[in-house]
Amino acid sequence: MKSWHYLGAVTLAAMLAACGGDDNNETDSANETGDSVAEVTPASIKLALSGRYQAGSFDASAAEIPAYDAASQRLFVVNAEAGELDVLDMSVPSAPEKVGSINVSAIAAGAEVNSVAVKNGLVAVAIEADPKTDNGFVAIYQADDLTLLDSIEVGPQPDMITFTPDGMTVLTANEGEPNDDYSVDPEGSISIINATDTGSLTVSHADFSDFTAADLRDAGVRIYGPGASAAQDLEPEYIAVSADGATAWVTLQENNALAKLDIVTATVTDILPLGEIDRSQAGKGIDASDDDEVIDIKTWGGVVGLYQPDAIHAYSANGSTYLVTANEGDARAWGEDNDAYWGEEADDSEDPPVLCEPDASQGFVEEFRVKHLVHTDGFDRRCGDDMPPQLRELAAGALLDPTVFGYCGAVAGDPQDCRDDDVLGRLNITWTAGYKTDAAGDPVMYTAAGVQDDAGDRIMYDTLYSYGGRSFSIWDEDGVQVFDSGDAIEQFLAGDDCKLGSDRSINCKTWFNSGHDESGAMDSRSDAKGPEPEGLTIGVMGEKTFLFLGLERMGGVMVYDITDPTAPIFQDYLNSRELWDGEDPDNGNLAGFGDLGPEGLVFIPASDAPEGKPLLVVGNEVSGTTAVYEVEITE
């Protein structure tokens, strides 16, 4: 019996328990040798780096989403930089080799590849138009010879694509983001493509026209884009499909919700708000500052996290369907590089004086630091710098409710120590929610001294909404949470048992919450979304189901046994970034840095793997690498 010991597994498993797919594999099938491969039920599993393909570019999204075809033993990897799919030979997992590419320029000029899915020897590609606000396309190719079978128009910006389990239907999440100045904001949608006849595709679309902004807001869904209808504001991100292929769930990341889809009728039947994670509760704290260069994970009264999941997968357990989400978080930031949006910085020394005149019609940026939000001098001091004009239209400044934030010194009219860099000052939040409102939803106004007064020009925040859960969650099919990992991921990364590098020789806490595109950056992401769980996939081995969770910023893959949805058990963490201190990776030493910025993941069961051993493949968008890991099994 093969066995291994991983320090900390028992510790974190206990911690997780205290806190509260579309990958298919079949048993006893054959690999390329024709030998029968039995799918055993592991006692536990662990990852080991097997091989890697380097696309040769840094921070250019040259390796994003991988998909695998067992018959041809090929990987299809989204290379957004090249605007195509890289086709890799996986017959030797330790040495994947590029053997071809799929270019989509013939389908639409200037088009980009956003996502890929593979099923039954077919490769489905999601293609974004130029400009992205135009309708996109889906194309179907043969996996073995890369022949284009057909293509069809779908909604704007198809961001993710997947097959139903029977391979007869293809779904795309059409995100429908606005253009940079928000002058064009297409409606989000889900396209349902009948692929029964791959030479003659047909499509239907599920939209959100039956939902109103007011009703969704009342239900707890974030609808907040400037002038947007509900259909424009809802932005589908990622899709999970039930085992019977009848139902899909779609993450609406910026809206902090899920859409539930009846696939047969192409109808969105419900929108499920996900709520918030209360950062005042034990086991749900965060490290909120990137400026203190220390690990300081703790609870914060008045602070909540919006789950805002990116990837989602469905799986079956105990006769029911469950949904797993990677709670990355995301802010809307349109026009942030447009000087007209921010206005020109005021200068009283000029004759005549230069006035700061921002233009709210030129964009929309919702992210703001706490220290800038609640400064006693108000907002105008930041005009022309980073003051969103829509916020300035609300008020001349903002306050913290002293009854909520008194613990960090807030008094009427003055946040005092709460806005210090080593307290809450550096935390990025959304200014669009959390201030006190009246029954009509309008802001309650205060004087600069903190006295409620209709003639006042200040708003008062009693809740600070930060981005992302810094966690993964498991939900039932109606969006009711059955598990959330809370602060367990950050606590593990801060602990002595966590190691970095493919040889596990570097202490994680030395580079806690590092960025994915820089060196020597300990703690640099604590003010934002922490380690940012973004991508995930699920693997079924024997009688157990395992979650593979990619951390976008800190990097690496966390592994859990999620067979019992209410009590996941930590298995392993492997981060195959090799260099952490020294020159930045964009200076040319790409090979030495290893893998940075995991984006998409695909599990390959032993029955489909080239050498009869289960594999995990990860596309790393920052390093431009496709990493292949062997899933080592303890029986």
Side-chain angles (χ1 to χ4, degrees), residues 585-608:
D586 59 354
N587 288 336
N589 183 22
L590 293 179
F593 271 86
D595 305 302
L596 293 79
E599 176 83 3
L601 303 87
V602 60
F603 173 75
I604 304 174
S607 56
D608 289 339

Side-chain angles (χ1 to χ4, degrees), residues 17 19 63 67 76 99 108 165 205 265 477 516 518 547 609 623 627:
C19 292
F76 298 84
V99 294
H205 306 283
T265 64
E477 60 184 270
H516 59 13
E518 55 190 345
L547 167 67
S623 57

Side-chain angles (χ1 to χ4, degrees), residues 152-383:
I152 196 165
E153 188 173 303
V154 294
Q157 201 183 10
D159 195 47
M160 186 268 181
I161 193 166
T162 191
F163 283 93
T164 54
D166 63 6
M168 296 295 101
T169 304
V170 176
L171 306 175
T172 63
N174 306 316
E175 191 165 9
E177 290 178 340
N179 62 351
D180 199 51
D181 65 5
Y182 241 105
S183 61
V184 180
D185 186 7
E187 295 185 356
S189 62
I190 303 108
S191 293
I192 301 95
I193 299 154
N194 185 337
T196 304
D197 181 356
T198 54
S200 182
L201 302 175
T202 59
V203 64
S204 54
H205 306 283
D207 61 28
F208 300 101
S209 59
D210 289 340
F211 298 91
T212 67
D215 288 345
L216 290 177
R217 288 191 191 103
D218 289 344
V221 179
R222 294 188 77 213
I223 304 293
Y224 62 100
S229 66
Q232 290 172 301
D233 206 71
L234 296 170
E235 297 183 358
E237 187 85 22
Y238 210 99
I239 304 172
V241 182
S242 62
D244 62 7
T247 306
W249 295 263
V250 184
T251 55
L252 307 170
Q253 186 172 25
E254 289 82 359
N255 312 102
N256 195 39
L258 303 179
K260 193 171 185 179
L261 173 72
D262 184 309
I263 295 175
V264 175
T265 64
T267 304
V268 177
T269 59
D270 205 355
I271 296 177
L272 310 171
L274 297 180
E276 299 88 29
I277 184 168
D278 185 349
R279 297 299 183 194
S280 71
Q281 295 183 1
K284 297 182 179 179
I286 55 171
D287 186 325
S289 175
D290 65 334
D291 195 59
D292 53 6
E293 297 184 353
V294 298
I295 300 172
D296 187 21
I297 304 168
K298 60 186 181 184
T299 56
W300 300 94
V303 179
V304 300
L306 298 165
Y307 290 104
Q308 296 182 303
D310 187 328
I312 182 173
H313 279 249
Y315 75 107
S316 299
N318 306 318
S320 298
T321 298
Y322 293 91
L323 310 168
V324 190
T325 58
N327 303 323
E328 177 198 21
D330 199 13
R332 284 182 173 151
W334 305 110
E336 58 184 340
D337 296 323
N338 182 358
D339 291 341
Y341 175 69
W342 302 112
E344 186 177 355
E345 187 172 356
D347 188 348
D348 293 335
S349 67
E350 294 289 329
D351 188 18
V354 174
L355 302 178
C356 178
E357 296 181 342
D359 185 351
S361 71
Q362 294 291 312
F364 180 76
V365 176
E366 64 162 310
E367 191 172 45
F368 212 47
R369 291 195 193 277
V370 172
K371 65 184 294 183
H372 301 325
L373 182 72
V374 296
H375 195 287
T376 54
D377 289 344
F379 295 151
D380 287 340
R381 60 185 233 292
R382 302 201 69 82
C383 188

Side-chain angles (χ1 to χ4, degrees), residues 450-467:
V451 177
Q452 185 175 341
D453 186 337
D454 290 344
D457 62 0
R458 298 292 197 267
I459 52 177
M460 180 178 287
Y461 286 80
D462 55 13
T463 307
L464 300 176
Y465 286 84
S466 62
Y467 297 101

Side-chain angles (χ1 to χ4, degrees), residues 9 13 16 559-562 567-571:
L16 289 172
V559 186
Y560 301 85
D561 178 349
I562 57 169
I569 302 170
F570 175 76
Q571 300 287 292

Side-chain angles (χ1 to χ4, degrees), residues 138-160:
V138 164
I140 305 291
Y141 297 83
Q142 284 285 133
D144 55 2
D145 61 9
L146 310 186
T147 300
L148 174 63
L149 299 175
D150 197 11
S151 64
I152 196 165
E153 188 173 303
V154 294
Q157 201 183 10
D159 195 47
M160 186 268 181

